[in-house]
Amino acid sequence: TATLAHDGKGLYLAISVRDQMHCAGQTGAKLWCGDSVQIALVMDGKQTEFGMTAAGGGSNFCWMSPDARLINTSPDWPCAVVREGSVTTYRGYVPFSALGGAYRPGPLLRMTFVVNEDDGRGRVRMLKWFDGIHPGKDVRKFGYLVLE
């Protein structure tokens, strides 16, 4: 289940995943190798891609951003990953300024996300909400969001 909301300053994301075995893997650029999520957004023509993992007590990593200072870093954005029974919930918040834009009602954003699955052998499969992250980066394959 994926839930998105905004407060006029940034975007809240929550993605809950049912998984019989949770293997967080590693933090940083290779977080996609373990159980994790990757999110890509385009706002005002500028692309951001980041991920969240339970590794390191819940951490994120930014691969792409219109703000060059954020690329290949773990930004100081709120990130929490909680495991309850067989469900892992990834919660994050990304300021619109980090996406290279500012809130205004009505514009289309492009978005996709991937849920990476690891049962102890590295990533064995993934679940996608639209293409565009894997295989290959292609914003034309992202879905659409409208901010209200």
Side-chain angles (χ1 to χ4, degrees):
T1 304
T3 305
L4 291 98
H6 74 86
D7 62 3
K9 297 177 184 171
L11 193 62
Y12 292 93
L13 304 128
I15 301 172
S16 295
V17 180
R18 185 171 307 282
D19 185 4
Q20 75 280 5
M21 177 191 292
H22 185 78
C23 298
Q26 54 189 302
T27 62
K30 296 276 189 175
L31 70 80
W32 58 268
C33 295
D35 283 340
S36 60
V37 295
Q38 291 170 256
I39 300 108
L41 296 143
V42 176
M43 183 175 194
D44 295 334
K46 300 169 188 151
Q47 185 173 352
T48 302
E49 183 180 342
F50 65 98
M52 293 184 281
T53 178
S59 64
N60 59 22
F61 186 83
C62 182
W63 292 279
M64 280 186 212
S65 174
D67 183 343
R69 295 170 299 174
L70 298 175
I71 298 171
N72 293 322
T73 69
S74 294
D76 188 23
W77 306 333
C79 172
V81 182
V82 177
R83 176 88 170 163
E84 294 178 348
S86 63
V87 176
T88 304
T89 302
Y90 302 85
R91 288 188 178 91
Y93 178 84
V94 182
F96 287 132
S97 60
L99 300 175
Y103 169 73
R104 61 187 187 285
L108 286 176
L109 273 69
R110 302 294 303 262
M111 180 182 167
T112 185
F113 67 83
V114 172
V115 176
N116 297 301
E117 163 74 316
D118 175 4
D119 286 334
R121 303 178 314 246
R123 182 171 71 180
V124 292
R125 67 189 141 269
M126 64 188 79
L127 174 69
K128 299 186 259 186
W129 185 73
F130 289 96
D131 286 325
I133 291 178
H134 183 80
K137 311 296 183 193
D138 188 347
V139 299
R140 297 170 300 172
K141 297 179 179 179
F142 289 15
Y144 291 94
L145 293 175
V146 177
L147 295 178
E148 295 183 350

